[in-house]
Amino acid sequence: MNMIVSDVAMGVEMADQVKIKVNDVDVFYGAKQALFGVELDIKANQVTSLIGPSGCGKSTFLKCLNRMNDTVDIARIQGLITLDGVNVYDSKIDVVELRARVGMVFQKPNPFPKSIYENIAYGARIHGLASTKADLDAIVASSLEKAGLFEEVKDRLHEPGTSLSGGQQQRLCIARAIAVSPEVILMDEPCSALDPIATAKVEELIDELKQNYTIVIVTHSMQQAARVSQYTAFFHLGTLVEYGETKKIFTSPTDKRTEDYITGRIG
Amino acid sequence: MTSFVLLSFLLISAFLFLYFRSKAISFIGSTSQKLHSRPEFHGGAALIFTIIPALFFYSFVSIAKDLFIRLAGYNESEAQMVASLYDVITLAVAVLIIVLGFLLFTKKQNIRFPARHIVEKAIMGVLFFASGIAVLTTIGIFLSVIFESLSFFSQYAFSDFLFGLQWSPQTALREDQVGSSGAFGAVPLFAGTALITVIALLVAVPVGLSAAIYLSDYATPKFRSIAKPILEVLAGIPTVVYGFFAALTIAPFIRNSSESLGFTASSESALAAGLVMGIMLIPFISSLSDDVINAVPQSLRDGSYGLGATKSETMKRVVLPAALPGIVSAVLLAVSRAIGETMIVVMAAGQSANLTINPLETVTTVTVQIVALLTGDIEFDTPKTLSAFALGLVLFIITLILNFIALRVVKKYREQYD
């Protein structure tokens, strides 16, 4: 069941509680540079939010963490990103394993056009996490429960996932990510397509999930960043301007640009 | 005469359009009211009142001219005169229609005249007419096939046709001729069609679908931009050329190689025709499937990759199920092509109606037999000729059933994304 975590990595995690270490990362799309020398430590079992105006590179940065940029042909990355002390861009790293450890939830809910059950079972199947039908049932139930969706859908597990409401679909996608027992969950504006009530539910969920997972969330809503995250990183024009505890960023930012952004003067 | 009339109609149209448009423009500013429709619509509506009814009248009446003269039963010299008189009257009435339309429109046109609605309705009418033609023609073809088939079945038992195992459609020239009673058992033909179609699909579906998957999700854009047009060139090759290729290259090759393996094969074989037909169908399947696979949203692929699925897992478990309806319709299109294909079969599979499932033997298909039955000197009331229509009818019904089944299958298994 468990993902392979090297002993060395465990040691690092214990020592300073840094889950992901980002060292001087540049990203290029073709000739265009999207990120400039980003340095950032993401703490374990905390919610880290990435804020900044559109096109500032926060989604690009997020996608570096589980190598989703690999699917973009023209994307090129330089620098070092380590997960529990292991370079995720090392040639020995298997992307499939990495993504099982670093799950992702997308901006627009994208449930597979399969039943609710199959949506959750998908990840467990491709990683061979369940050997019997009972195992699989248990994984589906517990994932839905952790995503706070079980009560709402338990009687219709075999209806299409696309028949759910937008907020339920997004929680289904979160449950789907949880089903492969990741250590980190990346969320790319998970609430931007949801109404305020669904958003509140997802935020509540994020808060609960941080006990078991390290969460990195991109958001356009500064209120959301303030509500759900313990750490906040502000990106502007491809550079990381300021990073620190959310409380500090929102009350006494050190950089003028951060202050302008959170007070609504830029972006 | 007619071309002169049409040309003048065109000139009159241009005049009327411009005239009523400028009249509409002249309304502007004369009162505080706003023009209901743009001046162009006034011009267009004027044509609908004048030229278009005149044109309809003129063309229908002109087409009916020969019929009228024939039915009235004039002799040769009278017919000449009547014909020219008919032309003159027709033209006069058409001109009258234009004049009346002109007067009517002049009377109706004012600043609040709803010309826009009239033009929109006319456009809808044209579109309706076009779709009507398509539907009516289909019904007409179907009915004609049914009537001819019925007259065949009045001469030959339906059950013997549908379940008979022997096909030898020659009929007697003289009453007492030996072996003259034709046998119209269609089973060997449908079996031959099915055999060749299955072989063709066994080639085309795996290759075409794999090519589509490679092109849409694996190939670099550069490779795709080169390979896709090349693949589509295959679709442009006339089937008679495939026929050559099948008869002169593939069929002898199959015969030789199967003989060296110890099988006996005839020089024309179902396998040769099926293989070449399969090659012909590859671009159909690959091109259409490539389009539907591309239409599956990237977000679904991302969702799958984000869970750690590999490319092939994503393709197999997410993309292909979502693209299934489109892929099935591509395959169906290929099936209809295979069933309807004649040239390759004539050249590569032969014409003798063997009932066999051995692909190395010569077989024939329904369409080939229809061609054979309807070429050369034919009489329209013999069972031999009429059986072609019966074959056509059954073929039509079979494809209809296939379509129906496929639609049901798709409905059951489709994974709908939006």
Side-chain angles (χ1 to χ4, degrees):
Chain A
M1 262 304 270
N2 275 332
M3 294 301 131
I4 305 134
V5 181
S6 73
D7 295 341
V8 183
M10 278 300 219
V12 173
E13 190 187 325
M14 295 300 174
D16 56 3
Q17 293 291 300
V18 171
K19 187 73 183 171
I20 300 175
K21 211 170 170 57
V22 179
N23 254 332
D24 196 19
V25 163
D26 298 323
V27 175
F28 302 85
Y29 289 123
K32 191 174 164 287
Q33 189 164 2
L35 280 181
F36 300 83
V38 174
E39 301 249 12
L40 179 63
D41 290 349
I42 291 167
K43 307 275 195 298
N45 292 84
Q46 301 286 347
V47 180
T48 304
S49 62
L50 313 177
I51 61 169
S54 296
C56 67
K58 55 196 189 303
S59 287
T60 298
F61 174 74
L62 192 73
K63 285 180 189 156
C64 291
L65 302 180
N66 69 342
R67 293 182 56 176
M68 277 301 277
N69 277 331
D70 288 13
T71 61
V72 182
D73 291 329
I74 55 167
R76 195 160 53 81
I77 173 165
Q78 289 171 355
L80 186 66
I81 298 176
T82 57
L83 173 65
D84 290 337
V86 178
N87 179 7
V88 303
Y89 280 89
D90 193 285
S91 57
K92 276 179 288 207
I93 286 284
D94 182 6
V95 170
V96 166
E97 243 170 65
L98 173 71
R99 290 187 191 148
R101 291 176 63 192
V102 184
M104 186 155 198
V105 175
F106 296 84
Q107 183 170 2
K108 203 174 147 247
N110 58 348
F112 301 129
K114 302 175 183 294
S115 69
I116 294 169
Y117 184 95
E118 285 300 322
N119 261 284
I120 311 289
Y122 182 84
R125 285 219 174 96
I126 57 176
H127 294 293
L129 300 184
S131 48
T132 64
K133 176 88 171 67
D135 282 354
L136 199 59
D137 288 351
I139 290 175
V140 170
S142 78
S143 306
L144 283 171
E145 222 152 86
K146 282 182 205 155
L149 195 60
F150 188 68
E151 284 305 312
E152 291 162 62
V153 302
K154 64 181 175 191
D155 298 324
R156 44 180 182 144
L157 287 177
H158 296 284
E159 281 174 33
T162 44
S163 68
L164 298 173
S165 73
Q168 289 174 323
Q169 287 188 15
Q170 196 60 296
R171 280 181 286 146
L172 179 66
C173 291
I174 294 173
R176 185 174 74 183
I178 292 171
V180 295
S181 321
E183 297 154 37
V184 181
I185 301 177
L186 309 176
M187 299 185 175
D188 190 359
E189 296 178 46
C191 300
S192 65
L194 305 184
D195 66 45
I197 292 170
T199 300
K201 282 199 169 162
V202 172
E203 286 180 4
E204 216 173 284
L205 176 61
I206 291 171
D207 202 48
E208 285 167 27
L209 290 176
K210 78 168 195 283
Q211 292 170 11
N212 299 311
Y213 310 97
T214 303
I215 294 174
V216 185
I217 175 173
V218 165
T219 176
H220 266 296
S221 154
M222 279 166 290
Q223 291 89 335
Q224 183 170 62
R227 281 193 300 263
V228 301
S229 70
Q230 287 72 51
Y231 292 87
T232 295
F234 171 64
F235 284 79
H236 189 60
L237 301 175
T239 52
L240 174 62
V241 174
E242 192 164 352
Y243 174 57
E245 283 185 40
T246 302
K247 250 180 274 163
K248 184 172 170 297
I249 295 268
F250 279 91
T251 51
S252 51
T254 51
D255 195 287
K256 178 83 170 64
R257 286 169 293 177
T258 315
E259 193 186 340
D260 285 349
Y261 183 70
I262 60 176
T263 54
R265 245 168 283 164
I266 57 169
Chain B
M1 177 69 183
T2 313
S3 54
F4 171 72
V5 170
L6 291 180
L7 187 67
S8 26
F9 272 25
L10 202 65
L11 289 175
I12 297 171
S13 307
F15 166 75
L16 288 171
F17 181 87
L18 293 173
Y19 174 73
F20 283 106
R21 192 184 68 149
S22 64
K23 240 183 116 187
I25 294 171
S26 73
F27 290 144
I28 305 170
S30 61
T31 65
S32 59
Q33 272 185 308
K34 225 175 138 243
L35 199 58
H36 176 279
S37 309
R38 275 187 289 117
E40 287 74 25
F41 283 113
H42 282 258
L47 298 187
I48 292 162
F49 271 71
T50 55
I51 288 290
I52 288 171
L55 207 57
F56 264 100
F57 172 79
Y58 184 79
S59 37
F60 279 118
V61 173
S62 300
I63 289 166
K65 182 169 80 173
D66 288 340
L67 191 70
F68 170 77
I69 290 172
R70 193 141 40 91
L71 288 180
Y74 295 108
N75 65 38
E76 194 116 325
S77 57
E78 280 172 334
Q80 278 283 317
M81 207 181 68
V82 171
S84 43
L85 191 63
Y86 188 98
D87 282 344
V88 172
I89 294 174
T90 311
L91 190 58
V93 175
V95 171
L96 187 67
I97 291 173
I98 294 177
V99 172
L100 287 177
F102 180 87
L103 294 175
L104 182 65
F105 195 79
T106 312
K107 193 158 171 286
K108 283 202 154 196
Q109 195 190 23
N110 60 42
I111 195 157
R112 296 303 301 163
F113 181 68
R116 178 160 28 95
H117 299 320
I118 291 171
V119 171
E120 284 300 316
K121 277 210 179 98
I123 287 172
M124 194 189 81
V126 170
L127 299 178
F128 174 76
F129 185 67
S131 60
I133 286 178
V135 173
L136 288 180
T137 327
T138 312
I139 293 175
I141 291 173
F142 184 61
L143 286 181
S144 80
V145 169
I146 282 196
F147 282 126
E148 303 293 349
S149 306
L150 286 179
S151 87
F152 170 72
F153 290 127
S154 69
Q155 297 177 40
Y156 196 85
F158 181 68
S159 58
D160 287 350
F161 172 74
L162 208 56
F163 304 113
L165 300 182
Q166 210 201 338
W167 177 264
S168 52
Q170 59 278 16
T171 42
L173 296 172
R174 301 186 312 273
E175 286 294 323
D176 55 345
Q177 206 175 11
V178 181
S180 59
S181 58
F184 295 98
V187 172
L189 305 189
F190 285 100
T193 302
L195 180 62
I196 291 181
T197 303
V198 167
I199 295 171
L201 291 181
L202 285 179
V203 175
V205 173
V207 178
L209 199 54
S210 309
I213 290 170
Y214 181 76
L215 285 180
S216 65
D217 276 56
Y218 288 81
T220 59
K222 201 175 160 206
F223 181 84
R224 182 187 151 89
S225 68
I226 297 169
K228 210 178 171 195
I230 292 177
L231 206 55
E232 276 162 5
V233 167
L234 273 180
I237 299 175
T239 58
V240 68
V241 176
Y242 282 108
F244 276 8
F245 176 60
L248 300 180
T249 314
I250 301 292
F253 171 76
I254 287 173
R255 191 192 52 214
N256 295 339
S257 48
S258 56
E259 266 165 12
S260 62
L261 288 170
F263 298 111
T264 45
S266 60
S267 57
E268 294 177 317
S269 64
L271 188 60
L275 284 180
V276 174
M277 205 188 282
I279 293 168
M280 178 189 87
L281 295 177
I282 288 171
F284 276 88
I285 294 189
S286 70
S287 186
L288 290 170
S289 305
D290 177 50
D291 290 344
V292 294
I293 290 171
N294 262 324
V296 173
Q298 182 63 31
S299 67
L300 291 184
R301 293 182 173 87
D302 285 345
S304 178
Y305 295 145
L307 289 168
T310 63
K311 222 164 189 174
S312 68
E313 281 169 336
T314 303
M315 183 49 72
K316 191 174 77 191
R317 293 169 185 251
V318 175
V319 179
L320 286 183
L324 183 73
I327 292 171
V328 169
S329 54
V331 172
L332 263 189
L333 197 70
V335 170
S336 342
R337 283 285 307 220
I339 290 177
E341 175 51 41
T342 316
M343 222 56 220
I344 294 175
V345 186
V346 173
M347 296 172 81
Q351 296 220 31
S352 53
N354 287 328
L355 181 56
T356 178
I357 55 162
N358 179 357
L360 298 176
E361 275 185 53
T362 160
V363 297
T364 191
T365 66
V366 178
T367 49
V368 168
Q369 285 307 308
I370 291 177
V371 171
L373 292 168
L374 294 181
T375 44
D377 289 337
I378 55 169
E379 291 172 79
F380 241 89
D381 49 357
T382 61
K384 182 184 169 190
T385 316
L386 292 174
S387 67
F389 290 93
L391 287 177
L393 181 68
V394 176
L395 200 59
F396 177 75
I397 291 170
I398 288 177
T399 38
L400 207 65
I401 293 172
L402 273 181
N403 269 301
F404 181 74
I405 293 172
L407 278 181
R408 295 298 294 268
V409 169
V410 165
K411 214 170 176 185
K412 185 150 190 281
Y413 292 104
R414 85 177 295 183
E415 297 189 342
Q416 192 159 11
Y417 59 84
D418 44 19

